[in-house]
């Protein structure tokens, strides 16, 4: 089917919530994808940080194949081993408490918000301006962006957004605050790292008032920044974190991971989801986690990220480069990021995305080779020349 025909079908039958780029992707392997006419592209976006180990990583494919032939779903009315093993591993590799599984980043944040309210009944949630936590009502209520919130008012009561500064957060948190929800690096907002002093202030304020500090690591987690979790590089340990995107190696899964203090807050009947933590996706996630936890891979992500940022910063036409590990954002001199991304697909067969009028975001596979990284920067350079 031609792209044009597919676009017509999409327009006729799919509710138009997405502004899709004009490319049909039919196959992927590692850092490369192919379109319907067999053209090859270098993928620096990984389905928005989902296929973070590259497309069709053999260990993940094998785990899915094996599990698909054995048991795909049983429901949470029963015990299944992969999800429970995944919870053990996630907890051991992070905050040491317990895990609630769900199916997406927004759902992971919903679970975190319910946990915080369950812990402090009626409590307020503080989030920061420019953050993104998802599109469901609770997550949207914490996503302080007028354009996303306004059409769906009234939102969930008891949410307050403040500037991402130490003073603003310390002033906003009080004894009635259930949680501070914050991304260590704002992703959708344009790859803006939150300064450690701001996260430290949030930690202090939460400790002072008995509030839960929750890090949204949906985008920053699973090795994206060069440690398994971004909080490891901040010196601040949250009371809980949320993860999704790369967790399933390409399949949909999300999780709320608590530290010990909040591990028993949610009780039987408080929350649930039919698909959550099912054996198929849990096997994929176990395989993804196993590959991602390799210290050599994480060290490479840190080194390669630094090198790519330095090389991009040296290109003419780039105003600013931000990020950590292989979470990279850069601002184009004079804006036009959406047009730049379109041109990159057509001219350079390079996949990236724009998070705003000026900002281009790269979320390449953590397995990107040196040659692929050099090739990517060369292609970006050609476009800017
Ligand atoms: N939180 C963050 C930091 C995200 O970047 C996203 C998605 O981009 C979400 C939450 C929502 O995740 P999902 O689209 O899986 O619901």
């Amino acid at each position: 089917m031609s792209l044009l025909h597919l676009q017509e079908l999409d327009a006729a039958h799919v509710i138009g919530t997405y502004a899709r780029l004009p490319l049909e992707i039919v196959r992927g392997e590692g850092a490369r994808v192919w379109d319907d006419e067999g053209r090859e592209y270098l993928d620096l976006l990984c389905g928005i940080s989902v296929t973070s180990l590259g497309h069709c990583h053999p260990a993940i494919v094998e785990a899915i194949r094996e599990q698909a032939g054995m048991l795909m779903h049983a429901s949470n009315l029963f015990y299944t081993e992969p999800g429970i093993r995944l919870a053990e591993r996630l907890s051991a590799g992070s905050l040491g408490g317990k895990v609630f599984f769900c199916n997406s980043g927004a759902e992971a944040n919903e679970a975190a918000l319910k946990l915080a309210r369950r812990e402090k009944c009626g409590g307020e949630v503080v989030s920061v301006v420019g953050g993104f936590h998802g599109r469901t009502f609770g997550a949207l209520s914490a996503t302080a962006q007028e354009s996303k919130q306004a059409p769906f008012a009234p939102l969930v009561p008891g949410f307050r957004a403040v500037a991402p500064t130490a003073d603003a957060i310390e002033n906003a948190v009080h004894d009635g605050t259930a949680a501070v929800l914050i991304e260590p690096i704002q992703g959708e907002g344009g790859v803006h790292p939150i300064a450690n002093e701001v996260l430290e202030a949030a930690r202090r304020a939460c400790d002072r008032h008995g509030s839960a500090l929750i890090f949204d690591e949906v985008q920053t987690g699973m090795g994206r920044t060069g440690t398994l979790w971004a909080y490891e590089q901040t010196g601040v340990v949250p009371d809980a974190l949320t993860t999704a995107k790369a967790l399933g190696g390409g399949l949909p899964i999300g999780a709320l991971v608590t530290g010990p203090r909040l591990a028993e807050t949610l009780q039987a009947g408080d929350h649930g989801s039919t698909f959550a933590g099912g054996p198929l996706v849990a096997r994929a996630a176990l395989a993804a986690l196993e590959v991602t936890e390799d210290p050599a891979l994480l060290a490479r992500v840190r080194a390669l990220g630094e090198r790519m940022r330095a090389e991009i910063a040296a290109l003419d036409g780039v105003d600013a480069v931000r990020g950590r590990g292989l979470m990279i954002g850069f601002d184009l001199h004079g804006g036009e990021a959406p047009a730049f991304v379109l041109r990159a697909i057509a001219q350079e067969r390079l996949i990236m995305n724009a998070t705003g009028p000026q900002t281009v975001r790269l979320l390449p596979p953590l397995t990107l080779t040196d040659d692929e990284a050099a090739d990517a920067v060369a292609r970006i350079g050609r476009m800017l020349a």
Side-chain angles (χ1 to χ4, degrees), residues 48 50 103-109 131-136 139 143 182-189 216-220 242 244-245 253-254 327 361:
I48 324 182
V50 167
N103 313 288
S104 69
E107 282 183 50
N109 287 327
F132 182 83
H133 301 291
R135 308 278 191 159
T136 53
T143 297
I182 190 165
E183 294 162 87
I185 303 174
Q186 292 183 337
E188 301 302 302
D216 178 340
E217 294 236 27
V218 167
Q219 194 163 141
T220 55
T242 54
K245 286 195 185 281
I253 180 172
M327 183 169 181
R361 176 177 51 174

Side-chain angles (χ1 to χ4, degrees), residues 98 100 115 118-119 262-272:
K98 289 189 175 177
F100 175 84
L115 171 94
R118 188 73 162 94
E119 181 71 12
L262 298 175
E264 309 300 334
T265 301
L266 289 172
Q267 296 293 316
D270 278 347
H271 201 29

Side-chain angles (χ1 to χ4, degrees), residues 77-345:
L77 295 175
F78 305 98
Y79 292 92
T80 51
E81 188 179 321
I84 295 170
R85 276 182 40 224
L86 177 62
E88 178 191 27
R89 189 142 190 180
L90 270 176
S91 172
S94 62
L95 304 176
K98 289 189 175 177
V99 176
F100 175 84
F101 288 117
C102 52
N103 313 288
S104 69
E107 282 183 50
N109 287 327
E110 293 293 335
L113 295 168
K114 282 185 76 172
L115 171 94
R117 282 265 169 90
R118 188 73 162 94
E119 181 71 12
K120 194 178 274 191
C121 186
E124 197 172 72
V125 175
V126 173
S127 63
V128 299
V129 173
F132 182 83
H133 301 291
R135 308 278 191 159
T136 53
F137 265 101
L140 180 63
S141 302
T143 297
Q145 293 184 41
E146 174 72 11
S147 63
K148 294 191 171 66
Q149 289 185 334
F152 302 102
L155 299 177
V156 179
F159 284 70
R160 187 202 294 207
V162 301
T165 67
D167 280 353
I169 292 177
E170 286 199 286
N171 290 335
V173 177
H174 53 86
D175 285 350
T177 304
V180 173
L181 176 63
I182 190 165
E183 294 162 87
I185 303 174
Q186 292 183 337
E188 301 302 302
V191 190
H192 290 283
I194 302 295
N196 286 354
E197 70 198 45
V198 175
L199 300 175
E200 285 159 12
R203 181 67 278 173
R204 274 196 307 276
C206 286
D207 287 344
R208 197 175 308 128
H209 297 286
S211 317
L213 179 60
I214 302 167
F215 280 2
D216 178 340
E217 294 236 27
V218 167
Q219 194 163 141
T220 55
M222 287 298 286
R224 175 54 56 195
T225 68
T227 42
L228 190 59
W229 308 106
Y231 82 81
E232 296 171 52
Q233 294 176 64
T234 68
V236 174
V237 180
D239 298 303
L241 65 81
T242 54
T243 171
K245 286 195 185 281
L247 178 60
L251 295 190
I253 180 172
L256 161 68
V257 186
T258 77
R261 184 170 80 77
L262 298 175
E264 309 300 334
T265 301
L266 289 172
Q267 296 293 316
D270 278 347
H271 201 29
S273 167
T274 300
F275 288 113
L280 184 67
V281 67
R283 275 294 299 279
L286 275 166
L289 200 53
E290 170 97 32
V291 177
T292 309
E293 279 179 329
D294 176 3
L297 176 91
L298 295 169
R300 224 189 101 67
V301 169
R302 293 194 293 276
L304 191 58
E306 261 186 44
R307 195 163 82 222
M308 285 182 77
R309 265 190 298 283
E311 288 173 2
I312 292 168
L315 297 173
D316 280 344
V318 171
D319 275 350
V321 184
R322 296 178 295 275
R324 210 169 285 151
L326 285 173
M327 183 169 181
I328 301 172
F330 61 93
D331 291 343
L332 296 176
H333 188 68
E336 304 290 319
F340 186 82
V341 162
L342 273 174
R343 233 169 14 96
I345 290 173

Side-chain angles (χ1 to χ4, degrees), residues 28 54-68 249 280 284 287:
H55 292 278
C56 301
H57 188 287
I60 298 170
V61 171
E62 185 49 36
I64 292 171
R65 278 217 174 96
E66 195 183 289
Q67 187 62 44
L280 184 67

